[in-house]
Amino acid sequence: MTLYIESRGRGPDLVLLHGWGLHGGVFDRVAANLEADFCLHLVDLPGHGASAAAAQFDAAAIADALAGYFPLPVHLLGWSLGGLIAQHWAAQHPQQVRSLALVATSPRFVRDEAWPHAQAREAIEGVGANLDTAFELTLERFLALQMMGAPAARDTLKALKAQLFAHGRPQGLLPALHCLLHADARALAPAIACPVGLFYGARDAITPIGAGRWLAQQLTDATFYDFPQASHAPFLSHETDFVEALRLHLEQHA
C-alpha cells in the first residue's frame, strides 16, 4: 500500500488521518500551530488526495499498513473516517500508539435500532449514488453538511472548498464510502488501552455527539472535550479552542 505522507515540524511524532473525500492538507492549520513542538505526519488515505486507490478500503488492513510506515510509538489523531482507522490501529498495534485523539468520529457510521448515534443508511448511500454523475457537486454538498450549524460556516466552507483538490482529484472514494456503510468497530473499544482524547461538536449531524459519549463510557482511559457551537469539523470552525485542547491532551501524554 503506497501512501502520500507530508511530514513537517520537529518533536514527538503526531500522525493525522483525515475524513472521507478530503486529504491530509485539511490539517494544515492545525499543523501550523503545532509544528514548533511536534513532528506532524499528514497522511492521504488510500484513494484520497495523492494516494493511490485500493480496490477494497479495509480499515483494519489500512491500520496495519500505517503501523508499518510508523514502527515507533506515535501520537495519533483521526477525524471522521480517519478516526475509524485510528481505532483499529490503536487496538491492533497498542505498542505503537502513545495517545489517541478521536475527532468527530464513531465506531459505526450507520444508524439502526441499537445504534442511534449516526446517519441513516440512505443518506450515505445517496452520496455514493451521485458520485458518478455529479462528482464535484456531491463532494461540495457533503462538505456543506459537515459545516452545518457552526458559526461562520460559510467562511470555513469556502476555505475547505478551495483546498478540496489541492492534492489531486481523488480516485477511490466509493470503496471508502462502502467502508463507512459496513464498518462496526464497537468491539474494539475494550482493546484500546492508550489515553484517548475525544473531541466532538454538539451540532454535528454526521457523527452525533452521542457516539463520542458512548466511546467515553467504553474506553478505559478517555477524556471528553465538547465544543457546544461546533459541527463536524471543530478543528476548522473552532481552531483556537481545538488546538488548545489538543495540545493539552498531547502534553499530558508526552
Side-chain angles (χ1 to χ4, degrees):
M1 188 177 294
T2 303
L3 299 173
Y4 175 82
I5 302 172
E6 177 192 351
S7 298
R8 51 198 283 196
R10 56 186 298 176
D13 293 290
L14 170 61
V15 179
L16 301 100
L17 307 179
H18 61 81
W20 183 85
L22 288 158
H23 52 76
V26 74
F27 294 118
D28 277 346
R29 283 159 50 179
V30 173
N33 279 284
L34 295 176
E35 63 186 357
D37 302 301
F38 296 90
C39 182
L40 298 107
H41 306 280
L42 283 58
V43 177
D44 284 4
L45 294 173
H48 294 70
S51 288
Q56 182 179 7
F57 193 100
D58 181 86
I62 294 169
D64 286 340
L66 284 165
Y69 274 89
F70 300 99
L72 296 176
V74 298
H75 298 285
L76 178 58
L77 181 150
W79 169 50
S80 197
L81 171 63
L84 176 66
I85 295 166
Q87 291 170 66
H88 279 273
W89 188 352
Q92 293 165 204
H93 303 275
Q95 73 283 1
Q96 290 186 335
V97 181
R98 288 183 176 182
S99 75
L100 178 60
L102 296 177
V103 184
T105 190
S106 179
R108 181 166 170 77
F109 286 79
V110 175
R111 185 171 67 229
D112 59 30
E113 291 183 0
W115 183 253
H117 316 301
Q119 298 182 86
R121 175 175 293 274
E122 294 76 17
I124 301 176
E125 290 176 337
V127 174
N130 293 322
L131 277 177
D132 284 340
T133 57
F135 184 82
E136 294 187 12
L137 181 60
T138 299
L139 285 181
E140 290 181 1
R141 285 176 175 170
F142 183 72
L143 294 181
L145 179 62
Q146 296 184 48
M147 299 297 111
M148 189 178 296
R154 182 174 297 179
D155 291 339
T156 305
L157 179 60
K158 183 178 179 181
L160 205 52
K161 283 182 179 179
Q163 198 179 41
L164 187 56
F165 300 123
H167 287 193
R169 189 179 178 88
Q171 300 298 316
L173 297 188
L174 198 55
L177 203 63
H178 288 161
C179 176
L180 291 177
L181 280 168
H182 299 292
D184 187 348
R186 284 176 288 182
L188 295 180
I192 298 175
C194 66
V196 182
L198 300 163
F199 302 81
Y200 284 77
R203 299 184 176 187
D204 192 344
I206 295 176
T207 51
I209 197 169
R213 298 199 187 282
W214 183 91
L215 283 166
Q217 294 175 349
Q218 301 298 317
L219 296 166
T220 58
D221 185 0
T223 302
F224 196 86
Y225 301 89
D226 67 308
F227 300 84
Q229 303 301 315
S231 184
H232 191 57
F235 62 96
L236 294 175
S237 63
H238 294 73
E239 177 185 338
T240 300
D241 291 342
F242 177 85
V243 170
E244 181 180 349
L246 177 60
R247 184 182 288 276
L248 175 64
H249 164 73
L250 293 171
E251 291 177 348
Q252 284 179 334
H253 308 295

